[in-house]
């Protein structure tokens, strides 16, 4: 909190975000002390500033743009006037206006579900002649990183050498070339497992041996108070099923109905627990559970030679 009378550099931010699509709304907020009399908003290349007079005591003033156009993109800063004089300029805010180019494609390699401590590469594939791409994480006011595409595939590479829980979340990327900015990519949800060390157990009810074409119930449970559970099937990069149910016994568990089970694929599962307020942070995995499909081979034949009736003397 800034006390009245403090003479300091103001803070500038954009709400809801500094990356805005054409036609959307954005509010640029300049924060200063309560004795500020006027706030001034500046834009690079624009000789005129927007001035907002203060009529009530407050520590921030808002500059509202109701419908963003491409010419609104650029660098902004602000300052204020108080009885002590004109303040220092704020840091620069980069307002990015997207929508001129097709949205890039965002993906994670080897996948979007990553064990804590492992490495992951996030690829952003832009349009032809892309010059630079920016990676944004939901909730962060500024881009996490910027990279130029490599090679002829227009892929920008963003590497995380050791994933930690703060990397969990939703990501988007934006790319730029001489024609302007792209739309934002579809969101990539990066999940970090092993954030919570209380493991969960996975079992099949009534048995992991299932007749071909039949169903089975998988039970994922934990003594930890997880309020959501995820079931993943080997070979699929995203959760296959999810559900939640808390038993009265004090064991927190989820029941998943799986089927029909067929012999032409592998039915190997792992489950995780998590909390609804941190949906991209999962527990350590359960042990693997593999279903065995019965009835997939012909019933064997059994016979005796020379016959099934044998004289007692022949047994001696």
């Amino acid at each position: 909190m800034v006390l009245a009378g403090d003479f300091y550099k103001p803070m500038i931010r954009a709400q809801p975000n500094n990356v805005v699509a054409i036609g959307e709304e954005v509010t640029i907020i300049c924060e200063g002390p309560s004795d500020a009399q006027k706030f001034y908003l500046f834009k690079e290349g624009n000789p005129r500033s927007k001035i907002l007079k203060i009529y009530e005591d407050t520590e921030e003033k808002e500059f509202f743009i109701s419908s963003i156009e491409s010419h609104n993109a650029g660098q902004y800063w602000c300052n204020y006037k108080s009885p002590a004089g004109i303040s220092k300029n704020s840091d620069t805010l980069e307002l990015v206006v997207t929508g001129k180019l097709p949205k890039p494609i965002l993906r994670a390699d080897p996948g979007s579900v990553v064990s804590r401590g492992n490495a992951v590469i996030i690829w952003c594939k832009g349009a032809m002649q892309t010059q630079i791409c920016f990676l944004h994480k939901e909730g962060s006011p500024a881009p996490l990183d910027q990279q130029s595409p490599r090679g002829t595939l227009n892929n920008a590479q963003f590497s995380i050498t050791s994933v930690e829980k703060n990397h969990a979340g939703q990501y988007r990327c934006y790319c730029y070339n001489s024609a302007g900015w792209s739309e934002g990519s579809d969101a990539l949800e990066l999940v970090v497992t092993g954030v919570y060390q209380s493991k969960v157990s996975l079992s099949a009810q009534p048995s992991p041996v299932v007749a071909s074409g039949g169903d089975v119930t998988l039970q994922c449970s934990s003594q930890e108070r997880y309020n959501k559970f995820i079931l993943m099937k080997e070979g699929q990069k995203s959760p296959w099923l999810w559900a939640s149910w808390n038993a009265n016994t004090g064991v927190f568990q989820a029941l998943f109905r799986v089927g029909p089970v067929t012999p032409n694929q592998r039915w190997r599962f792992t489950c995780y627990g998590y909390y609804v307020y941190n949906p991209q942070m999962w527990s350590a995995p359960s042990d693997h559970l593999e279903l065995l499909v019965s009835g997939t081979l012909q019933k064997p034949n059994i016979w005796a030679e020379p016959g099934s009736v044998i004289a007692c003397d022949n047994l001696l």
Side-chain angles (χ1 to χ4, degrees):
M1 178 66 67
V2 180
L3 300 176
D6 283 357
F7 195 63
Y8 85 120
K9 181 171 70 172
M11 296 179 62
I12 189 170
R13 57 190 173 92
Q15 188 175 316
N17 201 291
N18 68 311
V19 180
V20 191
I22 289 176
E24 291 185 345
E25 299 177 351
V26 69
T27 300
I28 299 177
I29 299 173
C30 187
E31 300 181 26
S34 58
D35 67 342
Q37 298 166 333
K38 292 181 181 179
F39 280 84
Y40 303 84
L41 180 66
F42 300 87
K43 181 176 184 292
E44 183 182 32
N46 185 359
R48 301 180 59 187
S49 63
K50 293 184 177 181
I51 302 173
L52 183 65
K53 294 182 179 179
I54 291 183
Y55 298 103
E56 57 182 324
D57 291 336
T58 181
E59 291 188 4
E60 65 179 39
K61 277 300 171 183
E62 300 178 351
F63 300 85
F64 180 67
I65 304 175
S66 60
S67 182
I68 283 286
E69 299 294 339
S70 57
H71 66 266
N72 296 126
Q75 293 187 335
Y76 291 79
W77 65 93
C78 69
N79 62 25
Y80 65 87
K81 180 181 179 181
S82 73
I86 299 294
S87 73
K88 298 179 181 178
N89 290 335
S90 68
D91 292 334
T92 300
L93 169 72
E94 181 81 30
L95 189 65
V96 176
V97 179
T98 67
K100 282 195 169 185
L101 302 175
K103 62 184 177 184
I105 298 172
L106 192 62
R107 62 181 178 88
D109 187 18
S112 59
V113 179
V114 189
S115 299
R116 189 176 182 182
N118 286 359
V120 67
I121 297 175
I122 298 177
W123 295 96
C124 180
K125 180 178 176 61
M128 295 295 292
Q129 299 180 333
T130 292
Q131 297 173 5
I132 194 167
C133 293
F134 291 80
L135 183 67
H136 289 254
K137 184 174 181 287
E138 186 180 67
S140 299
L144 292 181
D145 196 3
Q146 62 185 58
Q147 294 289 337
S148 296
R150 300 177 181 178
T152 59
L153 298 179
N154 297 301
N155 279 321
Q157 176 181 325
F158 302 91
S159 299
I160 304 175
T161 56
S162 180
V163 168
E164 295 298 333
K165 63 181 182 180
N166 61 292
H167 293 117
Q170 289 195 337
Y171 292 79
R172 295 181 190 271
C173 71
Y174 304 82
C175 296
Y176 175 84
N177 68 17
S178 58
W181 285 92
S182 71
E183 297 181 54
S185 68
D186 291 335
L188 169 70
E189 188 171 43
L190 189 66
V191 172
V192 180
T193 68
V195 173
Y196 312 112
Q197 292 305 309
S198 297
K199 287 186 66 172
V200 292
S201 61
L202 182 60
S203 60
Q205 307 296 331
S207 167
V209 180
V210 189
S212 178
D215 294 345
V216 66
T217 297
L218 301 187
Q219 176 180 296
C220 189
S221 60
S222 176
Q223 296 292 335
E224 186 70 20
R225 299 176 65 89
Y226 297 124
N227 46 31
K228 290 288 183 181
F229 293 89
I230 287 280
L231 182 68
M232 294 194 70
K233 183 174 182 288
E234 186 180 84
Q236 295 186 351
K237 292 186 177 181
S238 58
W240 191 57
L241 294 169
W242 69 269
S244 167
W245 177 55
N246 296 341
N248 296 325
T249 60
V251 175
F252 295 84
Q253 64 181 21
L255 301 176
F256 303 88
R257 194 70 179 172
V258 176
V261 176
T262 57
N264 59 350
Q265 56 180 296
R266 190 174 188 180
W267 298 85
R268 196 176 193 217
F269 296 90
T270 310
C271 75
Y272 304 81
Y274 73 96
Y275 300 99
V276 290
Y277 53 82
N278 283 326
Q280 292 95 22
M281 299 183 189
W282 296 358
S283 71
S286 69
D287 293 333
H288 297 301
L289 172 68
E290 185 164 0
L291 301 180
L292 302 177
V293 183
S294 66
T296 59
L297 300 176
Q298 287 187 338
K299 184 186 299 184
N301 295 322
I302 186 170
W303 67 93
E305 291 183 353
S308 59
V309 178
I310 307 173
C312 187
D313 293 341
N314 292 338
L315 295 177
L316 299 177

